[in-house]
Amino acid sequence: MKPIAVVVEHDGRTILPVTHELIHLATLLAARIHAPIVLVVPGAGHPDMADELARRGMQTIDLAIPGIDGYNSGAYKTALADLFTSLLPAYILVAHTATGRDFAPGLAVRLSGTAIAGVNNLLWEDGAPIFSRPVFNGAKNALVRADKFPCIAMVQPSAFLSPDAPAPAPLPGTVETMEIQCPDPGIKRLATRSADKGGDDLERAAVIVSAGRGLGSRENLGAVEEFTSLFPNAAMGVSRPLVDEGWMAYRFQVGITGATVSPEVYIACGISGSSQHLAGIMGSKTIVSINSDPNAAIFNHSDYCIVEDLLDFISAFEAIAASVDDPDR
């Protein structure tokens, strides 16, 4: 049986949480198609990470690519294509992150396989896996079945959270170290800068109020800021379009390309619900959405849906809050 390969997502020092979600999806696939799982740690050589992953009882390959320092898309595609040409996996699971989206399509071309982006669910039909992915800006999901292999599934973070924490297996898996020489990929990393996410406030906040394009204009940001101030231990965030427009700094961006958050309450103000934004908020305990469009995609993922003009709602909410705080009422 052809194996299921998981390309481990890491930052050069630690294994990133999305990797455990990929492994969880791999176990769901393996249980139905009875295939072995192989974990692949690409990079400059990371034996400690490989040993850590092998403790889960799975075969792990520490894929060392000499001459690279950190992530390099050209080298990743060349080395992984070389490995998978001999390993012959049926399915390759990759994180739908900036890194995964960068190398996975090109890898699929080199392997003459299929790439499916934004996978958010797994279904079955006649014993074959069907992958779900968002379309129409997240308003609908398309069901896709690969007919060309290997199939590279780019999996959205937070889509396959395991109910149980990763646990060591009774017997550790094997670790194999491989070294694949790559020609000059034509690009080199000059430096790595950590983005100023300012994520501390968003990570610590019990309540996050985020604004989206439904806000209408930059001048209305003040209304959302005042709305946020009504909640204890609250922070304000925004969706990516507002950052792209220059209305707010990147450190306020919530979503897969910004901050991934898990507050007690997440209040989405005028946010349509793109798959990238949803992936960043699915850890929230309660999601409240305010949108004038009753068909907004985010309503499909919300605990409370409020169909109303955003500014009208905020004005009414503030009036109620003021009356509650008034000691004479």
Side-chain angles (χ1 to χ4, degrees), residues 41 43 45 61-66 79 82-83 86-87 176-180:
V41 188
I61 297 175
D62 181 19
L63 181 63
I65 312 171
D82 193 339
L83 171 65
S86 59
L87 192 62
E176 180 182 358
T177 300
M178 296 184 63
E179 184 176 294
I180 295 181

Side-chain angles (χ1 to χ4, degrees), residues 14-40:
T14 58
I15 299 165
L16 299 183
V18 69
T19 291
H20 302 298
E21 299 172 33
L22 297 177
I23 295 173
H24 179 54
L25 173 57
T27 59
L28 296 177
L29 275 170
R32 292 288 294 269
I33 64 176
H34 307 292
I37 298 172
V38 179
L39 311 180
V40 180

Side-chain angles (χ1 to χ4, degrees), residues 101-133:
R101 294 195 307 270
D102 185 36
F103 75 81
L107 177 61
V109 171
R110 296 186 187 207
L111 296 172
S112 299
T114 303
I116 304 174
V119 170
N120 60 15
N121 200 2
L122 171 66
L123 302 95
W124 296 88
E125 183 178 272
D126 299 328
I130 305 291
F131 296 105
S132 168
R133 63 178 301 271

Side-chain angles (χ1 to χ4, degrees), residues 17 30 32 52 100 108 125 130 143 152 161 163 183 216 239 245 255 311:
R32 292 288 294 269
E52 178 183 343
E125 183 178 272
I130 305 291
L143 302 182
I152 301 179
L161 293 172
S239 63
E245 291 291 334
L311 298 181

Side-chain angles (χ1 to χ4, degrees), residues 66-310:
I68 70 167
D69 179 18
Y71 171 70
N72 183 297
S73 61
Y76 264 48
K77 283 181 281 192
T78 298
L80 288 170
D82 193 339
L83 171 65
F84 292 144
T85 297
S86 59
L87 192 62
L88 297 176
Y91 295 93
I92 301 170
L93 306 184
V94 174
H96 188 82
T97 58
T99 299
R101 294 195 307 270
D102 185 36
F103 75 81
L107 177 61
V109 171
R110 296 186 187 207
L111 296 172
S112 299
T114 303
I116 304 174
V119 170
N120 60 15
N121 200 2
L122 171 66
L123 302 95
W124 296 88
E125 183 178 272
D126 299 328
I130 305 291
F131 296 105
S132 168
R133 63 178 301 271
V135 292
F136 301 119
N137 200 28
K140 302 287 184 181
N141 281 312
L143 302 182
V144 183
R145 177 162 61 188
D147 60 1
K148 205 172 182 183
F149 293 89
C151 171
I152 301 179
M154 291 177 270
V155 181
Q156 287 191 15
S158 300
F160 292 92
L161 293 172
S162 172
D164 302 312
L171 293 175
T174 60
V175 176
E176 180 182 358
T177 300
M178 296 184 63
E179 184 176 294
I180 295 181
Q181 297 284 345
C182 294
D184 184 355
I187 60 173
K188 65 173 59 178
R189 184 170 65 95
L190 299 179
T192 299
R193 287 190 306 182
S194 296
D196 177 20
K197 291 186 178 181
D200 287 348
D201 289 342
L202 292 173
E203 290 175 3
R204 291 195 300 260
V207 178
I208 295 177
V209 181
S210 285
R213 279 184 291 195
L215 191 61
S217 67
R218 187 172 191 167
E219 289 69 28
N220 294 330
L221 283 170
V224 179
E225 290 175 353
E226 292 178 7
F227 183 44
T228 305
S229 68
L230 298 176
F231 301 94
N233 190 17
M236 180 177 170
V238 294
S239 63
R240 178 175 177 173
L242 271 61
V243 174
D244 291 343
E245 291 291 334
W247 292 9
M248 294 285 280
Y250 173 70
R251 65 179 181 272
F252 294 100
Q253 181 175 318
V254 175
I256 195 172
T257 54
T260 299
V261 299
S262 53
E264 292 294 324
V265 179
Y266 185 84
I267 304 176
C269 299
I271 294 175
S272 61
S274 70
S275 58
Q276 289 84 358
H277 189 82
L278 291 171
I281 68 171
M282 293 313 291
S284 305
K285 305 299 185 296
T286 301
I287 298 176
V288 180
S289 296
I290 310 163
N291 202 300
S292 59
D293 178 8
N295 297 313
I298 198 166
F299 283 156
N300 297 324
H301 306 272
S302 302
D303 299 288
Y304 298 95
C305 308
I306 301 169
V307 181
E308 184 57 85
D309 176 81
L310 176 60

